[in-house]
Amino acid sequence: MIWMKVAGITVVVVIIACFEWVRLDIGRVRERVVLVSIAGLSWIAALMAVLFPEMPGPIRWVEWLYRPLSGLLS
Amino acid sequence: MRKNKSISVLIQLCKRLLPLAALLSLTGCWDSDEVNSLAIVTSAGIDRTKDGAIELILEIVAPQQQQQQSGTGQSSGQKGGKGTTIVRYAIGDTAADAQGRLQWKLPRTIYWGQLQVLVVGEELARDGFREQLDYLVRVNEIRLRVMPFVTHGKALDFFDSHFLLEQTKAGFLQSEAARVFHKPLTLSRLVQRLSSDEDTAVLPFINIPEDRGDRGGEPYIKGYAVFNQGRMVGTLTGNSFLAAKWATNQLKNDVETVNVGNESPARVTYTTLAAKSRLIPIRKNGEWQMNIRIESEINMIQNTSRLPMAEPQNARLLEAAAAEHIREVVTQTVRDTQRMHADIFAFGEAIKRRNPHEWSRLEPQWNRFYPEMDFKVEASVKLRRIGMNSIPLGRQHKERTKP
Amino acid sequence: MVDKGKISRGQLAFMLYSLMAYDGLLLIPKIAGEKAGRDLWLSPVWSHLTGIMMVLAMLRLSRMFPEESIIVYSKRILGKWLGIAAGFIFVFYAFYLTSVILRIYTDFISSVFLENTPTVVISGGIMFLVAYTARGGVEVLGRLAQLFIPATIVVFVILSILTIPEWELSNALPILGKGPIPSLKGATVPFTWFAGYILLGLYYPLLSDKRKVTLFVMTAWFGEMITLAASGLISVFLFGEYTSTLNYPFIEVVRYIALGEFFQHIDALLLAVWLPGTFIELATYHYATVTGIAEWTGLKNYRALSFTLGFLVLVVSYWGITSDIDFERYLATSHIWFDFSVLVFGLLLFLVAWIRSKLGALKYN
């Protein structure tokens, strides 16, 4: 089941990346680098979220960052 | 652009097929609810069994054609095949638990979205049904518009009773409430009152006739059930019920009779056209006192006295008598609620509106303060109509003009 | 700007209106009600009266650099490295808020309407549309806003009118019974939401006509205030202090509507208000993320990023938060400070720019 999810995520990321890759004009190196890096990042993030659901994500990070302040209200 | 022909053809093809892909999303497969896979609940009853478990009774709409053949189920309430609903019940630890157990026995999914009426058995009401109400306000299908009632005896008895005029219990109670009250009470109002500072509430109290024969009569709204701290502590019936309706602006088409004058047949009966009551808290010698000001317009429907009401001075007499009557019953009723320690007229709310600071001081001891509180009822009545006949029947014109 | 498209002032106003109105409609009566009790409808008024400074500051700042986006001119204001950092803050804010709003959207839809549907279908569905819209460019976004938002406003007004027979006016009394403090406390959350107006820095250069923009932006500001105050007031009229106990008060308000026997159960109409509105809101944030990152990394073409970033947004909205309760808790505590720090960041940026321009140290183009 978990491998189905991993495979699904991979397929979605690859489809999105390929879809955009094909549509970029020839020679746009910078665009391609950013595209691939964001796609890679989101692939890793999605795998993390699926494989380690207990691992704190960005919303948790922000919560942790501002936790000292949250007592000031109320 | 990249001149790769096969890819661009493929993309063109995909674009053409895209609208078809949109069709896939129309199926909505996970939350699909077909009407004929649902058990549509129109009214629900909760009650307490002898050993403290919760009994949940549901009235479920039954499609007409099935009904005509199958007759009645083991606990269905209708006779003569006229009804279009069936009644099922289950027992569980909580209302939600009972619902779950009921669902086991039902071939269709229980659907709460059409719930209109909630009937609470007297025993559970006396025990406190707030905990079970939690389930109903939590279910995401139930609206706060549901009308709650308390029934005399067991809730199941109400669902077993029969009446021929309305097709469903929910329809019956709805039209009954619309007949009796100016603005029927809803779950929203109830939960507001239960979570207010005074923590008191009233609910319509249904009476079920003991005699179940054909002449036994139908259940009807007999009065108010009074709640204090979430438990039912008593009822207001008869004149008290009328008085409570006066004071809470719920009066509708109620008939009352007063004596006018001193001659022996002196009864005059009237209905109330419009009534408005206001609570005016005032401070007197540092203590709060409540003025209940009631204004109403009445319509005389029968006059057994010898006094022609077309005469203004006689009309004044009737008005005074009616005002005195209101004053009397309302005073008596407020006394009753003071004895029950239940501030059902929201005196506290009125003080809070007038003086929020004072209220925060008063609130902790309100339960002790209210029963001792001073109040005054001021009633003013206007006779608006006297019907189609000007002088009492059988009293000739000449008699009236005799010196 | 990386996008060559233009939007009109009215379209901008609709987009700004969507930033607060729809989430506010749903969440503010509850959030403000916890602190303010029956004065909860006053909270949006206070927050808007104070939040106006952020709106004016961002307008002023944008007017200093009418042809550049906030990513570019923050480098001018703060110098190269700090400017890059400021650009990152902006991009992160836009990106992160898209995730948060997506999460709010998903929680609402799945807890009220589609209980059994996998949440990823709900959020993935809308995110696909949002990414597709952002990919189409600002003109597509502007036209969609122009198409949807007026319709939702009309439906909202109709729904409000339909509740009139149920109003219990005395529920709102006493107004300011415990003094102004509770309603001011309730105003903190809607006040911090004004961080969203930092998006003006990105959308302002895209305007086709830059005269009298203030008027249009203030109309959006006023519209938001009226919408939030009205939804709060109606909730109080119907449910009194009980409003803050309800998870989504306004959906209960709409459910309460019944005209006669036949005209009831119209909760789906609320979705007709809320869904297009939130869609525009999401798209406005997402477009800001996409073009923001494109400018920040110096790209010529932003379109390629839309779907990839959309996927990342989707992932972040799930990542590490499994229960709705934790998320609600987060929204009511840490998120306030996150928004607040972005709001302070916007005001600081304006202050630095203003001081430097007074000193004559700022180079305009």
Side-chain angles (χ1 to χ4, degrees):
Chain A
M1 190 57 208
I2 198 89
W3 294 111
M4 284 292 288
K5 280 185 183 169
V6 172
I9 289 167
T10 315
V11 167
V12 169
V13 173
V14 167
I15 285 178
I16 291 174
C18 286
F19 176 78
E20 300 291 2
W21 183 278
V22 171
R23 306 189 135 225
L24 278 172
D25 297 349
I26 297 169
R28 299 266 178 163
V29 181
R30 205 167 180 146
E31 274 81 353
R32 281 171 210 275
V33 171
V34 174
L35 171 67
V36 169
S37 50
I38 291 180
L41 183 67
S42 47
W43 184 67
I44 292 169
L47 285 193
M48 294 284 226
V50 167
L51 294 179
F52 310 104
E54 292 307 311
M55 213 186 83
I59 294 182
R60 276 284 156 85
W61 302 341
V62 173
E63 188 187 5
W64 174 81
L65 190 65
Y66 286 97
R67 190 170 293 157
L69 291 173
S70 61
L72 289 182
L73 284 173
S74 79
Chain B
M1 287 294 272
R2 186 173 275 207
K3 297 275 179 285
N4 193 332
K5 204 155 189 198
S6 62
I7 285 181
S8 69
V9 165
L10 205 64
I11 289 172
Q12 284 301 315
L13 192 67
C14 282
K15 273 189 179 167
R16 297 277 153 80
L17 290 177
L18 210 57
L20 289 179
L23 285 178
L24 289 177
S25 63
L26 288 179
T27 55
C29 24
W30 292 282
D31 277 283
S32 65
D33 280 334
E34 295 298 329
V35 173
N36 49 19
S37 73
L38 294 177
I40 297 168
V41 178
T42 56
S43 56
I46 43 176
D47 207 341
R48 203 185 70 119
T49 58
K50 283 211 172 56
D51 47 356
I54 300 297
E55 184 179 44
L56 182 75
I57 307 144
L58 299 184
E59 184 193 33
I60 297 162
V61 175
Q64 195 72 52
Q65 69 273 28
Q66 287 179 5
Q67 201 52 42
Q68 279 162 353
Q69 305 151 6
S70 67
T72 55
Q74 85 253 24
S75 61
S76 60
Q78 75 287 331
K79 286 180 179 140
K82 257 197 166 181
T84 52
T85 57
I86 56 170
V87 172
R88 292 287 182 273
Y89 65 93
I91 293 167
D93 294 336
T94 63
D97 189 41
Q99 185 262 355
R101 279 159 203 271
L102 191 56
Q103 183 67 80
W104 291 352
K105 297 192 259 174
L106 276 179
R108 294 185 174 190
T109 316
I110 292 174
Y111 176 69
W112 286 103
Q114 294 284 340
L115 183 70
Q116 287 157 344
V117 161
L118 170 72
V119 179
V120 182
E122 189 177 347
E123 209 163 316
L124 183 66
R126 290 202 183 270
D127 235 37
F129 71 107
R130 198 197 311 236
E131 297 78 8
Q132 312 310 328
L133 208 56
D134 179 82
Y135 173 64
L136 294 180
V137 293
R138 216 170 272 280
V139 177
N140 68 2
E141 287 161 353
I142 294 182
R143 306 176 298 162
L144 289 173
R145 210 188 172 77
V146 174
M147 295 178 188
F149 296 86
V150 174
T151 173
H152 176 73
K154 298 193 71 62
L156 197 55
D157 289 345
F158 168 73
F159 283 95
D160 273 342
S161 65
H162 71 283
F163 26 81
L164 305 171
L165 295 177
E166 299 286 340
Q167 292 201 313
T168 67
K169 266 77 173 175
F172 162 72
L173 277 183
Q174 270 188 320
S175 52
E176 177 78 358
R179 182 181 63 77
V180 175
F181 298 114
H182 176 62
K183 201 174 183 182
L185 216 119
T186 61
L187 206 54
S188 154
R189 191 80 198 127
L190 175 68
V191 292
Q192 279 180 53
R193 293 290 298 153
L194 286 181
S195 56
S196 69
D197 294 335
E198 305 108 353
D199 195 4
T200 57
V202 286
L203 285 186
F205 185 71
I206 311 167
N207 189 50
I208 305 167
E210 294 291 317
D211 174 23
R212 299 266 177 68
D214 273 346
R215 281 170 295 145
E218 273 84 42
Y220 66 102
I221 295 176
K222 191 186 181 190
Y224 273 133
V226 179
F227 285 79
N228 187 17
Q229 315 290 328
R231 287 158 197 266
M232 177 173 159
V233 290
T235 56
L236 297 175
T237 51
N239 266 345
S240 304
F241 181 42
L242 276 183
K245 278 163 73 182
W246 276 109
T248 49
N249 283 326
Q250 286 282 25
L251 212 63
K252 193 171 181 182
N253 303 330
D254 284 289
V255 175
E256 279 168 274
T257 305
V258 291
N259 288 329
V260 181
N262 302 322
E263 294 173 57
S264 80
R267 297 185 192 283
V268 176
T269 304
Y270 56 88
T271 61
T272 307
L273 295 170
K276 192 169 161 33
S277 94
R278 281 192 303 157
L279 297 179
I280 302 159
I282 49 167
R283 297 201 69 168
K284 228 175 197 176
N285 310 329
E287 281 299 330
W288 283 99
Q289 183 188 328
M290 188 62 66
N291 276 359
I292 307 172
R293 195 169 292 167
I294 300 176
E295 287 162 18
S296 68
E297 292 175 355
I298 59 174
N299 172 22
M300 186 179 73
I301 54 175
Q302 190 180 358
N303 183 5
T304 66
S305 76
R306 314 287 292 170
L307 305 167
M309 289 302 165
E311 297 284 334
Q313 70 267 29
N314 293 339
R316 294 294 99 76
L317 274 180
L318 172 60
E319 285 167 359
E324 183 53 38
H325 175 68
I326 293 172
R327 206 161 19 239
E328 230 164 71
V329 293
V330 171
T331 307
Q332 188 53 42
T333 308
V334 175
R335 291 253 160 75
D336 286 348
T337 66
Q338 284 183 327
R339 214 168 302 127
M340 295 184 222
H341 292 247
D343 175 19
I344 61 165
F345 302 111
F347 282 10
E349 190 74 24
I351 293 178
K352 185 178 177 181
R353 271 177 198 144
R354 176 59 57 91
N355 193 339
H357 290 285
E358 195 63 19
W359 172 247
S360 54
R361 191 180 62 80
L362 221 52
E363 194 219 314
Q365 44 175 343
W366 182 245
N367 216 357
R368 269 176 294 132
F369 187 82
Y370 173 70
E372 308 292 316
M373 195 169 166
D374 234 7
F375 66 91
K376 210 167 80 195
V377 182
E378 297 165 10
S380 76
V381 177
K382 286 263 172 304
L383 178 62
R384 275 289 294 276
R385 295 187 203 129
I386 57 168
M388 310 298 273
N389 202 354
S390 67
I391 54 172
L393 194 66
R395 233 197 103 181
Q396 294 310 310
H397 192 257
K398 55 180 189 251
E399 188 185 353
R400 206 176 110 217
T401 48
K402 251 197 308 206
Chain C
M1 286 301 293
V2 27
D3 195 344
K4 297 283 172 286
K6 291 286 176 201
I7 50 171
S8 75
R9 294 164 300 181
Q11 288 168 344
L12 177 72
F14 283 132
M15 281 151 70
L16 290 175
Y17 174 80
S18 78
L19 289 189
M20 278 177 82
Y22 298 96
D23 277 345
L25 186 71
L26 209 62
L27 299 175
I28 292 294
K30 175 186 165 56
I31 295 176
E34 280 168 7
K35 301 265 162 54
R38 56 184 74 190
D39 289 335
L40 64 94
W41 58 280
L42 278 172
S43 295
V45 178
W46 302 141
S47 72
H48 270 72
L49 292 181
T50 43
I52 196 170
M53 70 180 176
M54 177 67 179
V55 183
L56 293 177
M58 288 316 293
L59 270 174
R60 189 77 194 277
L61 188 59
S62 308
R63 223 176 291 127
M64 285 185 200
F65 309 93
E67 300 303 326
E68 287 177 354
S69 78
I70 190 166
I71 310 271
V72 178
Y73 66 66
S74 58
K75 283 187 209 160
R76 248 182 235 278
I77 298 171
L78 300 172
K80 194 175 178 206
W81 294 109
L82 273 179
I84 288 176
F88 177 75
I89 292 177
F90 176 83
V91 167
F92 180 76
Y93 169 75
F95 167 78
Y96 184 72
L97 253 269
T98 323
S99 293
V100 169
I101 295 162
L102 184 65
R103 180 65 190 235
I104 294 174
Y105 168 84
T106 316
D107 281 352
F108 172 64
I109 298 286
S110 65
S111 65
V112 178
F113 290 100
L114 303 174
E115 269 193 311
N116 303 321
T117 307
T119 48
V120 81
V121 174
I122 299 169
S123 51
I126 191 100
M127 207 52 221
F128 176 78
L129 289 179
V130 165
Y132 190 64
T133 309
R135 198 173 187 283
V138 75
E139 295 201 345
V140 173
L141 175 56
R143 292 224 172 114
L144 281 176
Q146 197 178 8
L147 183 70
F148 286 149
I149 305 290
T152 67
I153 294 174
V154 169
V155 177
F156 173 72
V157 171
I158 292 175
L159 286 179
S160 306
I161 290 173
L162 287 179
T163 59
I164 289 178
E166 314 295 340
W167 285 4
E168 197 76 55
L169 295 184
S170 56
N171 271 350
L173 299 171
I175 295 169
L176 295 181
K178 291 182 180 136
I181 302 294
S183 60
L184 281 175
K185 269 188 182 168
T188 43
V189 173
F191 171 69
T192 55
W193 286 12
F194 271 92
Y197 272 87
I198 205 169
L199 296 192
L200 260 182
L202 200 123
Y203 284 103
Y204 190 88
L206 296 169
L207 284 174
S208 56
D209 184 352
K210 296 196 174 66
R211 285 168 301 155
K212 288 189 180 164
V213 181
T214 315
L215 182 72
F216 283 84
V217 174
M218 289 328 275
T219 312
W221 169 86
F222 189 70
E224 278 170 3
M225 183 167 87
I226 295 297
T227 311
L228 296 186
S231 66
L233 197 56
I234 294 172
S235 310
V236 171
F237 282 162
L238 261 63
F239 304 132
E241 280 189 80
Y242 192 69
T243 306
S244 58
T245 335
L246 297 165
N247 275 339
Y248 300 105
F250 208 75
I251 186 84
E252 295 293 350
V253 168
V254 175
R255 280 190 174 158
Y256 206 80
I257 295 173
L259 286 186
E261 287 279 305
F262 49 94
F263 197 73
Q264 34 185 313
H265 297 281
I266 51 171
D267 12 342
L269 270 184
L270 182 67
L271 269 197
V273 175
W274 203 74
L275 221 132
T278 315
F279 166 69
I280 298 295
E281 180 185 14
L282 278 168
T284 308
Y285 274 112
H286 187 63
Y287 176 82
T289 318
V290 172
T291 50
I293 286 191
E295 289 209 352
W296 192 61
T297 50
L299 306 187
K300 293 270 183 311
N301 185 343
Y302 63 92
R303 282 162 207 264
L305 303 180
S306 185
F307 278 108
T308 15
L309 275 171
F311 186 72
L312 193 56
V313 164
L314 189 63
V315 172
V316 169
S317 78
Y318 280 99
W319 195 353
I321 295 227
T322 39
S323 93
D324 295 3
I325 304 142
D326 290 348
F327 184 69
E328 293 275 319
R329 181 91 206 121
Y330 160 74
L331 269 189
T333 53
S334 301
H335 190 73
I336 301 175
W337 289 101
F338 174 76
D339 272 349
F340 184 69
S341 47
V342 173
L343 198 132
V344 169
F345 161 73
L347 289 176
L348 273 182
L349 201 63
F350 164 70
L351 271 183
V352 173
W354 186 66
I355 292 168
R356 287 194 68 180
S357 71
K358 285 283 168 217
L359 297 175
L362 206 56
K363 271 187 286 175
Y364 298 100
N365 43 329

Short mmCIF file of all heavy atoms in Angstrom, two decimals, chain C residues 1 5 8 10 36 42 44 59 71 84 90 106 124 173 205 232 240 255 278 352:
data_model
loop_
_atom_site.label_atom_id
_atom_site.label_comp_id
_atom_site.label_asym_id
_atom_site.label_seq_id
_atom_site.Cartn_x
_atom_site.Cartn_y
_atom_site.Cartn_z
N MET C 1 8.35 43.20 -14.51
CA MET C 1 7.50 42.08 -14.11
C MET C 1 7.65 40.92 -15.10
O MET C 1 7.82 41.12 -16.29
CB MET C 1 6.04 42.52 -14.09
CG MET C 1 5.67 43.39 -12.91
SD MET C 1 5.97 42.60 -11.34
CE MET C 1 4.76 41.28 -11.36
N GLY C 5 0.92 40.49 -18.64
CA GLY C 5 -0.52 40.76 -18.61
C GLY C 5 -0.86 41.96 -17.74
O GLY C 5 -0.04 42.44 -16.96
N SER C 8 -7.33 45.21 -14.40
CA SER C 8 -7.95 46.50 -14.13
C SER C 8 -8.01 46.74 -12.63
O SER C 8 -7.78 45.83 -11.83
CB SER C 8 -9.34 46.54 -14.73
OG SER C 8 -10.22 45.79 -13.94
N GLY C 10 -10.65 47.40 -10.82
CA GLY C 10 -11.77 46.68 -10.23
C GLY C 10 -11.42 45.22 -9.97
O GLY C 10 -11.75 44.67 -8.92
N ALA C 36 -14.87 37.84 22.39
CA ALA C 36 -15.71 39.03 22.43
C ALA C 36 -17.16 38.75 22.82
O ALA C 36 -17.92 39.68 23.04
CB ALA C 36 -15.67 39.74 21.08
N LEU C 42 -18.35 43.45 16.35
CA LEU C 42 -17.60 44.70 16.37
C LEU C 42 -16.12 44.47 16.09
O LEU C 42 -15.43 45.38 15.63
CB LEU C 42 -17.76 45.38 17.74
CG LEU C 42 -19.03 46.18 17.92
CD1 LEU C 42 -19.15 46.62 19.36
CD2 LEU C 42 -18.99 47.42 17.03
N PRO C 44 -14.41 42.84 13.75
CA PRO C 44 -13.91 43.18 12.41
C PRO C 44 -13.86 44.69 12.17
O PRO C 44 -12.99 45.17 11.45
CB PRO C 44 -14.92 42.53 11.46
CG PRO C 44 -15.61 41.52 12.25
CD PRO C 44 -15.58 41.96 13.67
N LEU C 59 0.07 50.74 -0.19
CA LEU C 59 -0.28 51.54 -1.37
C LEU C 59 0.79 52.58 -1.63
O LEU C 59 1.25 52.78 -2.76
CB LEU C 59 -1.62 52.23 -1.14
CG LEU C 59 -2.87 51.46 -1.57
CD1 LEU C 59 -4.10 52.22 -1.15
CD2 LEU C 59 -2.86 51.24 -3.06
N ILE C 71 9.54 42.24 -4.92
CA ILE C 71 10.78 41.46 -4.93
C ILE C 71 11.94 42.33 -5.42
O ILE C 71 13.04 42.29 -4.88
CB ILE C 71 10.63 40.26 -5.89
CG1 ILE C 71 9.35 39.49 -5.59
CG2 ILE C 71 11.86 39.37 -5.83
CD1 ILE C 71 9.44 38.43 -4.61
N ILE C 84 17.24 40.42 -0.98
CA ILE C 84 16.97 39.04 -1.37
C ILE C 84 16.26 38.31 -0.24
O ILE C 84 15.28 37.57 -0.45
CB ILE C 84 18.29 38.33 -1.75
CG1 ILE C 84 18.77 38.88 -3.09
CG2 ILE C 84 18.10 36.82 -1.83
CD1 ILE C 84 20.09 38.35 -3.55
N PHE C 90 8.69 37.33 1.49
CA PHE C 90 7.45 37.53 0.74
C PHE C 90 7.00 36.24 0.07
O PHE C 90 5.84 35.82 0.20
CB PHE C 90 7.65 38.62 -0.32
CG PHE C 90 6.45 38.81 -1.18
CD1 PHE C 90 5.40 39.59 -0.76
CD2 PHE C 90 6.36 38.18 -2.42
CE1 PHE C 90 4.27 39.76 -1.54
CE2 PHE C 90 5.23 38.32 -3.20
CZ PHE C 90 4.19 39.11 -2.77
N THR C 106 -9.99 22.45 3.04
CA THR C 106 -10.19 21.00 3.08
C THR C 106 -10.93 20.60 4.34
O THR C 106 -11.86 19.79 4.30
CB THR C 106 -8.83 20.29 3.03
OG1 THR C 106 -8.03 20.91 2.05
CG2 THR C 106 -9.01 18.85 2.69
N GLY C 124 -6.74 18.25 -3.59
CA GLY C 124 -6.07 18.11 -4.88
C GLY C 124 -6.90 18.68 -6.01
O GLY C 124 -6.38 19.34 -6.92
N LEU C 173 -27.74 42.78 22.43
CA LEU C 173 -27.61 43.67 23.57
C LEU C 173 -27.07 42.91 24.78
O LEU C 173 -27.33 41.74 24.93
CB LEU C 173 -28.99 44.26 23.92
CG LEU C 173 -29.62 45.08 22.80
CD1 LEU C 173 -31.05 45.41 23.16
CD2 LEU C 173 -28.83 46.32 22.55
N PRO C 205 2.06 46.65 -9.76
CA PRO C 205 2.69 46.96 -11.06
C PRO C 205 1.91 46.38 -12.23
O PRO C 205 2.12 46.81 -13.36
CB PRO C 205 4.06 46.30 -10.96
CG PRO C 205 4.25 45.92 -9.56
CD PRO C 205 2.94 45.85 -8.90
N GLY C 232 -21.03 38.38 11.27
CA GLY C 232 -20.98 38.26 12.72
C GLY C 232 -22.28 38.67 13.36
O GLY C 232 -22.81 37.99 14.24
N GLY C 240 -26.93 34.25 19.41
CA GLY C 240 -26.45 34.91 20.63
C GLY C 240 -25.02 34.52 20.95
O GLY C 240 -24.19 34.34 20.06
N ARG C 255 -28.30 27.22 7.35
CA ARG C 255 -29.18 26.08 7.55
C ARG C 255 -30.46 26.46 8.26
O ARG C 255 -31.47 25.78 8.15
CB ARG C 255 -28.47 25.03 8.39
CG ARG C 255 -27.52 24.24 7.57
CD ARG C 255 -27.05 23.08 8.37
NE ARG C 255 -26.25 22.23 7.53
CZ ARG C 255 -25.37 21.39 8.00
NH1 ARG C 255 -25.18 21.28 9.27
NH2 ARG C 255 -24.69 20.65 7.17
N THR C 278 -13.15 31.26 -2.15
CA THR C 278 -11.90 30.68 -1.67
C THR C 278 -11.01 30.29 -2.84
O THR C 278 -9.79 30.39 -2.74
CB THR C 278 -12.19 29.45 -0.81
OG1 THR C 278 -13.23 29.78 0.07
CG2 THR C 278 -10.98 29.06 -0.03
N VAL C 352 11.32 52.10 6.08
CA VAL C 352 12.69 52.27 5.60
C VAL C 352 12.67 53.02 4.27
O VAL C 352 13.42 53.98 4.07
CB VAL C 352 13.38 50.90 5.45
CG1 VAL C 352 14.73 51.07 4.79
CG2 VAL C 352 13.54 50.25 6.80
#
